[in-house]
Amino acid sequence: ISITNKALCCGCEACVQVCSHNAITMQEDNEGFRYPIVNNKLCVECGRCENVCQYIVPAKKKTEVQHAFGGHIKNKETLNESTSGGAFSAIVEIWCDENYVIFGAETEGLKVWHSYIEDKKELNKFRRSKYSQSIIGNSFIEVRRFLKEGKKVVFSGTPCQIAGLKSFLNDKEYKGQLLTIEVVCE
């Protein structure tokens, strides 16, 4: 994979996670954005990274009518801990009844990364504001593992991270098992 126009790479890390030879790593540029770098000594040119890349194979456009909504959670304590009205917490409370895993971004200072929890009582770790690109790590691999185990998975991320996840999962639907929540990316 070769990114010649950085403006078209969203840094979703799908290419890194699909590479079974560990030939791709993410490297931060001088502005703090992360882009894939290929170690040509490890690369076997299998093309898997190119097949999941939004830059090379753009995400499929939805043609059906889509709906957006806004609101806030009624629980005052959760609302006060949340920076976006607590919508994520409200959705999780309704959807995660049993056998679930929740993925979201957590932060410490300016460092932001994706992780998961298996108990809704730990949702507070995902409730802080994040103003930088999150490090996905091996979250897509973990999502796939949990889905194969039959668990329900909630994944919250930016639109390009969600598109990267769906591409990584090879557009498998996982109907009733996977719920993605896109956060507004500015």
Side-chain angles (χ1 to χ4, degrees):
I1 194 165
S2 177
I3 306 299
T4 55
N5 182 352
K6 286 182 173 183
L8 298 176
C9 177
C10 63
C12 72
E13 300 185 39
C15 58
V16 175
Q17 293 184 63
V18 78
C19 181
S20 58
H21 294 88
N22 298 316
I24 306 172
T25 57
M26 297 297 284
Q27 186 173 9
E28 204 170 281
D29 70 4
N30 60 350
E31 294 177 325
F33 294 102
R34 297 165 40 87
Y35 297 98
I37 302 296
V38 177
N39 179 335
N40 291 321
K41 292 178 183 175
L42 298 175
C43 180
V44 296
E45 297 185 29
C46 65
R48 292 176 71 196
C49 56
E50 293 175 335
N51 291 336
V52 299
C53 181
Q54 312 280 325
Y55 172 74
I56 297 169
V57 182
K60 294 176 186 170
K61 302 288 184 198
K62 301 280 185 181
T63 56
E64 68 271 6
V65 175
Q66 295 184 8
H67 303 280
F69 61 92
H72 65 83
I73 196 163
K74 291 181 181 179
N75 179 302
K76 296 288 186 200
E77 185 178 329
T78 302
L79 180 61
N80 289 336
E81 292 175 0
S82 303
T83 53
S84 299
F88 176 69
S89 296
I91 293 167
V92 165
E93 284 297 328
I94 296 296
W95 202 72
C96 295
D97 48 6
E98 58 183 41
N99 199 26
Y100 62 85
V101 180
I102 304 159
F103 284 80
E106 61 179 297
T107 183
E108 183 178 305
L110 294 178
K111 184 179 178 188
V112 183
W113 67 97
H114 261 72
S115 66
Y116 68 88
I117 58 174
E118 296 183 78
D119 187 342
K120 293 186 278 189
K121 293 175 185 162
E122 298 177 51
L123 266 177
N124 61 336
K125 73 192 296 185
F126 299 142
R127 288 192 183 128
R128 293 174 193 85
S129 292
K130 296 107 182 160
Y131 296 105
S132 61
Q133 183 180 21
S134 65
I135 298 168
I136 290 293
N138 65 348
S139 293
F140 295 174
I141 294 167
E142 294 292 334
V143 166
R144 181 178 58 200
R145 179 176 65 86
F146 287 126
L147 289 169
K148 285 182 176 181
E149 290 174 4
K151 294 188 180 226
K152 290 171 75 172
V153 175
V154 175
F155 189 95
S156 175
T158 62
C160 47
Q161 289 171 331
I162 300 291
L165 171 64
K166 289 182 177 181
S167 182
F168 174 81
L169 294 173
N170 200 18
D171 286 330
K172 290 186 180 171
E173 291 290 326
Y174 293 103
K175 291 216 183 271
Q177 261 187 284
L178 176 63
L179 175 65
T180 56
I181 302 171
E182 294 182 10
V183 296
V184 176
C185 178
E186 295 185 46

